[in-house]
């Protein structure tokens, strides 16, 4: 795929989190063919940071409030991530929009709780419920300069139940995310993802 550096395994993975970090935990627990070397957040209180620390993974916080402007935050985040020399960056519940240059510098995957291109943005689960869809799901995709629009690696459907609340539906989506995201990261770490325009091809394994 595009982990074209001559990196030796295990690949170095940086995970960006804003919240509880259950997807980060799934990555920490999985056999990825790579190693999470840094968890970074825009929020000092993000639960994901505690999960990383408990696993012996370095953590960093880059808060927009500590930066004079948006461009400075972009630059500082890119510096912190770059210092960890990642082969791959994973957005695992990272709730800020990255500068356009970020995915040009670092191959970056995101996990999103809907079947994109339906329901992009920060409120995908309540919006899917409000729309009345019968099926939603989750998407793992490469990040490009547009929000939730990059080439799709994998998707999995999750049925909506009549009595679902945003919380119950999101919990079932997350259970799928915890399987799908590590599987996609493992494919990337084994150089098995090839991007052709909007299309991501999964290459055969050894
Ligand atoms: C996930 O559902 C992800 O799809 C969305 O934010 C949520 C993060 O959950 N972008 P967690 O922090 O990994 O528990």
């Amino acid at each position: 795929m595009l982990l074209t550096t001559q990196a030796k395994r295990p690949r170095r993975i940086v995970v960006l989190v804003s919240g509880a970090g259950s997807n980060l935990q799934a990555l920490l627990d999985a056999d990825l063919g790579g190693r999470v070397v840094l968890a970074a957040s825009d929020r000092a209180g993000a639960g994901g940071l505690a999960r990383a620390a408990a696993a012996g993974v370095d953590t960093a916080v880059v808060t927009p409030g500590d930066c004079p402007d948006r461009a400075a935050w972009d630059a500082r985040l890119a510096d912190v991530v770059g210092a960890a020399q990642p082969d791959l960056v994973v957005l695992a519940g990272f709730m800020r929009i990255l500068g356009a240059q970020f995915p040009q510098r670092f191959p970056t995957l995101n996990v999103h709780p809907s079947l994109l291109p339906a329901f992009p943005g920060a409120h995908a689960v309540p919006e899917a419920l409000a729309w009345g869809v019968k099926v939603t799901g989750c998407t793992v995709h490469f990040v490009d300069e547009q929000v939730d629009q990059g080439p799709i690696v994998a998707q999995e459907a999750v049925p909506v139940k009549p009595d679902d609340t945003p919380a119950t539906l999101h919990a079932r989506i997350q259970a799928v995310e915890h399987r799908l995201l590590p599987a996609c990261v493992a494919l990337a770490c084994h150089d098995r993802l090839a991007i052709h325009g909007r299309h991501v091809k999964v290459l055969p394994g050894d």
Side-chain angles (χ1 to χ4, degrees), residues 72-184:
W73 178 77
D74 280 341
R76 193 176 297 181
L77 182 68
D79 282 351
V80 166
V81 170
Q85 299 187 294
D87 301 299
L88 179 70
V89 175
V90 181
L91 310 186
F94 189 65
M95 300 310 284
R96 286 187 193 275
I97 296 170
L98 294 166
Q101 283 158 5
F102 190 97
Q104 291 166 11
R105 180 167 170 192
F106 309 108
T108 304
L109 288 174
N110 181 44
V111 59
H112 182 79
S114 75
L115 294 175
L116 291 171
F119 310 114
H123 308 290
V125 178
E127 286 177 1
L129 263 186
W131 195 265
V133 296
K134 304 299 186 193
V135 176
T136 183
C138 65
T139 301
V140 177
H141 65 95
F142 281 103
V143 174
D144 64 11
E145 63 284 352
Q146 313 245 40
V147 175
D148 296 334
Q149 286 200 27
I152 290 170
V153 178
Q155 295 184 295
E156 194 165 318
V158 174
V160 178
K161 296 182 178 176
D163 57 350
D164 261 332
T165 65
T168 61
L169 179 56
H170 200 173
R172 290 206 312 289
I173 293 171
Q174 283 191 311
V176 176
E177 290 179 344
H178 297 162
R179 183 165 39 75
L180 200 64
L181 180 62
C184 293

